Amino acid sequence: EEDTKGRVIQVVGHRLLVGLNGIEWHKPSLSGFLVELERSYLANHYHSAAHGADCSNALTLLVQSLSLKDTLEPHQHAAVVIAGLGHDVGHPGRTNPFLLSLQKHPV
């Protein structure tokens, strides 16, 4: 995350999404989306923006390794990347049993 200067979702997301064939992105809209996605992550040690970027990279590698790239439409491939980037947005950094023990938090 040091190399991205705290903008890991923006840097990784831009790199992965702009590199997809078959999609012409409106760059200001894409950048704005990635900024808002990054801002939506809560500060915690594991379920962080860096973790989201790691997961998106792993999903991209999985798509390539399994040759799914040939079977996915470009918008489906973009959805996989975006799902990885944002899958832990808003995660409070606690386990479900802990949250349930509070009996106030919707899990």
Side-chain angles (χ1 to χ4, degrees):
E1 197 168 352
E2 290 176 18
D3 292 343
T4 61
K5 297 178 176 49
R7 298 178 13 237
V8 66
I9 292 289
Q10 296 169 61
V11 171
V12 171
H14 189 269
R15 173 78 176 179
L16 294 177
L17 291 168
V18 170
L20 293 177
N21 291 330
I23 298 180
E24 187 64 36
W25 296 98
H26 180 255
K27 301 281 177 30
S29 296
L30 177 60
S31 295
F33 169 73
L34 294 171
V35 166
E36 289 304 314
L37 185 63
E38 186 129 36
R39 286 182 185 160
S40 298
Y41 268 93
L42 302 178
N44 63 60
H45 295 293
Y46 183 76
H47 303 281
S48 63
H51 171 66
D54 286 343
C55 287
S56 195
N57 274 324
L59 286 169
T60 298
L61 180 62
L62 187 64
V63 165
Q64 291 171 351
S65 297
L66 298 176
S67 300
L68 296 175
K69 194 173 183 179
D70 300 331
T71 62
L72 293 175
E73 295 292 328
H75 69 278
Q76 293 171 319
H77 195 172
V80 169
V81 171
I82 292 167
L85 290 171
H87 80 278
D88 269 341
V89 162
H91 196 295
R94 303 285 188 209
T95 65
N96 285 348
F98 175 81
L99 295 174
L100 287 170
S101 74
L102 298 177
Q103 296 182 351
K104 295 178 185 174
H105 193 282
V107 177

